[in-house]
């Protein structure tokens, strides 16, 4: 296997997929016979790998896509989830849908946890008051934002006292792609008393480019007693919000409970800051390759070749090699461009053992002609006998040797097999059961100017 410096690359037989087997040797009778032997041997290894994959995950559905940037999930062994449920915004789609799980500017986090806790959290009652005063004065804005923002959930206030013994979750988001995708959610946890406010929610700063949100999106603002409740987006339209400034910072307030039920624009509060991104990232996709040694003991960790492909608003494209799990010569081709490891041979595994550095740059090259929709990428490996095996992106329903995620996805460490859960999860979860802070006293919170 690649871990031992032998890269037995995935070559499908005709019935398996469209990968190719190439030879750099001339095709006289002896060489052709050797090539046939090589092909037959590899086909056996592939069959063993396929058996191992099916044993771990079951037979993939015929329409199973291995490009997880499209908002799909791995559903080989279970049915798709109810599309009406609240689900995390698909920030990992090929187009990012306008959303980035990081703060996008490349600078340090503009509102880290320490600053949030030491300043804004102490000011929330004052911010809440300003939002409610603005609403009473009818200083209300129509929800039609444009441009780019960094943002972070700050607080949720339980302005409605019903169902005190249930958790309460306040969410804003948009329905598109057949799902109710929340971009921000914050909850007030039950504690047996009349809980007023809480701070359970995503604990990092994110970014959104509103111009890249799908044009057919239906925005919603909703209060539920479950963080994955089923809703109809059009029944909870997000049409207005309130914007206030306090101590030089901007805050948006959203009414999530219905007005007739006592909802206020302080139900959910976000800190926001408008930003300029000179070279906006439009697409960001991470390709992960499994070595496909073919044995029943295959680790199936998909970390043997990892590379990112990015496209920017000016039309430029770039490929970054993040991890290499073998030492045989490899060529990565993206669109019309390629990178070949031979000039600087790989002598050891890189970024697959110990602590994984998601920002590692083993190699970097400009790209032209990459089609995000078509996944026109390939990996070629030259084995010890000089044969070149080319692997392309797998068709739907095939057993994969290459998969695609957004660049948010972290690959596994060495010999840590992937799982069905791994296929369907990303970092930076909305940890709605953590960071619970309840029972704040409004008067004590107010910090005077």
């Amino acid at each position: 296997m690649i871990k031992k410096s032998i890269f037995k690359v995935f070559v499908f037989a005709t019935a398996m997929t469209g990968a190719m087997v190439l030879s750099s040797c001339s095709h006289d009778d002896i060489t052709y016979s050797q090539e046939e032997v090589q092909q037959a041997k590899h086909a056996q290894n592939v069959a063993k790998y396929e058996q191992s994959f099916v044993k771990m995950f079951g037979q993939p559905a015929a329409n199973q896509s291995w490009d997880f940037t499209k908002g799909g999930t791995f559903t080989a062994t279970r049915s798709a989830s109810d599309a009406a449920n609240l689900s995390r915004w698909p920030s990992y789609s090929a187009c990012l849908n306008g959303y980035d799980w990081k703060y996008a500017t490349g600078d340090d986090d503009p509102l880290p946890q320490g600053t949030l806790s030491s300043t804004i959290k102490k000011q929330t009652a004052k911010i809440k008051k300003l939002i409610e005063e603005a609403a009473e004065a009818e200083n209300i804005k129509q929800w039609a934002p444009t441009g780019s923002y960094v943002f972070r959930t700050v607080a949720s206030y339980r302005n409605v006292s019903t169902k005190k013994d249930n958790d309460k979750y306040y969410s804003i988001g948009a329905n598109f792609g057949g799902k109710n995708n929340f971009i921000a959610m914050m909850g007030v946890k039950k504690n047996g008393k009349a809980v007023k406010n809480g701070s359970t929610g995503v604990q990092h700063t994110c970014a959104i480019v509103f111009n890249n949100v799908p044009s057919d999106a239906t925005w919603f603002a909703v209060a539920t007693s479950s963080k994955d409740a089923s809703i109809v987006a059009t029944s909870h339209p997000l049409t207005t919000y309130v914007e206030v400034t306090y101590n030089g910072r901007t805050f948006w307030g959203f009414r999530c409970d219905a007005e007739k039920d006592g909802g206020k624009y302080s139900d959910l509060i976000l800190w926001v800051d408008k930003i300029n991104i000179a070279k906006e990232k439009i697409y960001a996709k991470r390709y992960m390759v499994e070595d496909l040694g073919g044995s029943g003991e295959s680790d199936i960790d998909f970390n043997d070749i990892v590379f990112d492909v990015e496209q920017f608003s000016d039309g430029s494209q770039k490929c970054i090699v993040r991890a290499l799990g073998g030492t045989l010569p490899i060529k990565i081709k993206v669109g019309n461009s390629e990178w070949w490891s031979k000039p600087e041979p790989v002598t050891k595994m890189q970024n697959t053992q110990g602590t994984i550095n998601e920002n590692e740059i083993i190699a970097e090259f400009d790209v032209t002609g990459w089609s995000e929709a078509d996944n026109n990428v390939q990996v070629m490996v030259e084995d010890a006998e000089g044969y070149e095996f080319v692997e392309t992106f797998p068709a739907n329903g095939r057993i994969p040797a290459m998969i695609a995620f957004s660049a948010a996805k972290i690959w596994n460490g060495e010999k840590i097999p992937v799982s069905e859960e791994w296929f369907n999860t990303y970092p930076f979860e909305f940890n709605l059961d953590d960071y619970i802070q309840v029972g704040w006293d409004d008067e004590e919170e107010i910090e005077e100017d």
Side-chain angles (χ1 to χ4, degrees):
M1 295 176 68
I2 192 171
K3 313 302 189 301
K4 303 300 181 182
S5 302
I6 302 176
F7 196 155
K8 300 175 182 176
V9 183
F10 207 131
V11 178
F12 287 104
T14 306
M16 296 179 184
T17 190
M20 300 171 285
V21 181
L22 305 179
S23 173
S24 59
C25 304
S26 62
H27 279 187
D28 55 41
D29 290 342
I30 297 177
T31 305
Y32 187 72
S33 176
Q34 291 174 340
E35 184 176 353
E36 285 185 325
V37 170
Q38 182 76 8
Q39 289 180 5
K41 181 180 179 182
H42 195 76
Q44 291 176 350
N45 289 337
V46 169
K48 292 179 181 179
Y49 169 78
E50 288 188 327
Q51 292 172 3
S52 297
F53 189 95
V54 171
K55 184 177 180 180
M56 288 181 67
F57 304 110
Q59 181 65 40
N63 63 347
Q64 174 65 56
S65 171
W66 300 108
D67 184 345
F68 292 91
T69 68
K70 303 301 183 184
T73 57
F74 182 34
T75 57
T77 59
R78 64 186 179 195
S79 60
S81 61
D82 184 353
N85 289 355
L86 287 171
S87 59
R88 288 187 301 275
W89 189 282
S91 54
Y92 315 107
S93 73
C95 299
L96 298 177
N97 291 315
Y99 179 87
D100 199 339
W101 86 107
K102 288 186 177 179
Y103 21 92
T105 58
D107 300 323
D108 292 336
D109 188 342
L111 187 62
Q113 179 64 36
T115 303
L116 181 71
S117 298
S118 64
T119 58
I120 294 178
K121 285 296 183 184
K122 296 179 180 180
Q123 304 163 355
T124 52
K126 178 63 175 179
I127 297 166
K128 174 180 183 289
K129 183 179 179 182
L130 288 175
I131 289 173
E132 293 176 357
E133 288 175 346
E136 291 174 2
E138 298 185 351
N139 294 327
I140 299 171
K141 292 190 172 186
Q142 294 298 308
W143 181 250
T146 58
S148 305
Y149 288 82
V150 286
F151 70 95
R152 186 165 186 160
T153 51
V154 171
S156 54
Y157 279 82
R158 194 166 190 156
N159 293 305
V160 180
S161 60
T162 58
K163 297 182 180 179
K164 299 174 186 176
D165 293 331
N166 293 329
D167 297 342
K168 194 88 172 207
Y169 295 94
Y170 298 100
S171 308
I172 61 168
N175 180 284
F176 58 87
K179 292 185 178 181
N180 295 317
N181 311 292
F182 64 81
I183 197 168
M185 177 185 287
M186 185 166 280
V188 179
K189 303 294 289 183
K190 62 183 178 181
N191 71 345
K193 296 183 292 186
V195 180
K196 284 189 175 182
N197 45 44
S199 64
T200 60
V202 59
Q203 296 297 311
H204 67 284
T205 304
C206 303
I208 185 166
V209 181
F210 282 106
N211 296 346
N212 289 349
V213 175
S215 59
D216 61 348
T218 299
W219 286 91
F220 62 83
V222 65
T224 62
S225 58
S226 170
K227 57 190 173 186
D228 57 356
S230 179
I231 71 163
V232 177
T234 52
S235 298
H236 308 275
L238 170 54
T239 57
T240 57
Y241 70 108
V242 167
E243 178 178 295
V244 300
T245 301
Y246 181 68
N247 280 351
R249 291 188 172 97
T250 301
F251 300 90
W252 287 352
F254 300 90
R255 186 173 59 207
C256 299
D257 268 310
E259 183 178 14
K260 64 182 178 61
D261 296 327
K264 297 182 179 180
Y265 284 96
S266 54
D267 287 346
L268 177 64
I269 301 172
L270 305 185
W271 163 81
V272 301
D273 190 25
K274 194 161 188 177
I275 57 174
N276 293 314
I277 306 175
K279 190 177 179 180
E280 180 185 322
K281 189 181 297 182
I282 303 299
Y283 303 102
K285 190 176 289 192
R286 174 162 291 165
Y287 294 94
M288 302 184 190
V289 181
E290 171 62 14
D291 63 11
L292 301 169
S295 70
E297 293 77 31
S298 177
D299 49 16
I300 311 184
D301 52 17
F302 282 97
N303 67 6
D304 299 303
I305 301 176
V306 180
F307 59 98
D308 295 351
V309 184
E310 302 174 345
Q311 180 166 319
F312 299 89
S313 55
D314 63 356
S316 62
Q317 299 176 330
K318 178 173 65 174
C319 178
I320 306 172
V321 183
R322 299 293 190 188
L324 295 173
T327 58
L328 289 174
I330 69 165
K331 180 183 289 183
I332 298 173
K333 185 174 182 180
V334 180
N336 304 320
S337 310
E338 60 186 36
W339 172 78
W340 180 235
S341 68
K342 269 189 169 181
E344 297 182 10
V346 178
T347 58
K348 63 180 180 179
M349 291 182 285
Q350 298 186 39
N351 209 20
T352 61
Q353 296 176 304
T355 302
I356 301 297
N357 177 10
E358 61 178 302
N359 297 314
E360 180 76 15
I361 301 177
I362 295 174
E364 187 174 16
F365 60 99
D366 292 333
V367 170
T368 61
W370 173 62
S371 170
E372 174 275 327
D374 296 333
N375 288 311
N376 56 335
V377 302
Q378 66 181 38
V379 172
M380 187 201 73
V381 179
E382 182 182 282
D383 72 8
E385 299 178 0
Y387 289 94
E388 297 174 350
F389 302 96
V390 177
E391 179 189 335
T392 57
F393 198 80
N396 289 359
R398 303 296 186 182
I399 306 299
M402 185 188 302
I403 52 181
F405 290 93
S406 90
K409 183 71 172 180
I410 308 300
W411 56 99
N412 274 1
E414 185 64 20
K415 293 191 181 299
I416 300 177
V418 299
S419 63
E420 185 176 344
E421 181 183 11
W422 180 87
F423 277 107
N424 295 323
T425 58
Y426 283 88
F428 299 116
E429 299 284 341
F430 284 78
N431 296 318
L432 295 168
D433 295 319
D434 299 332
Y435 309 101
I436 300 171
Q437 297 178 1
V438 297
W440 297 342
D441 183 270
D442 279 6
E443 295 303 321
E444 292 181 358
E445 281 184 53
I446 295 177
E447 183 177 285
E448 300 299 333
D449 294 332

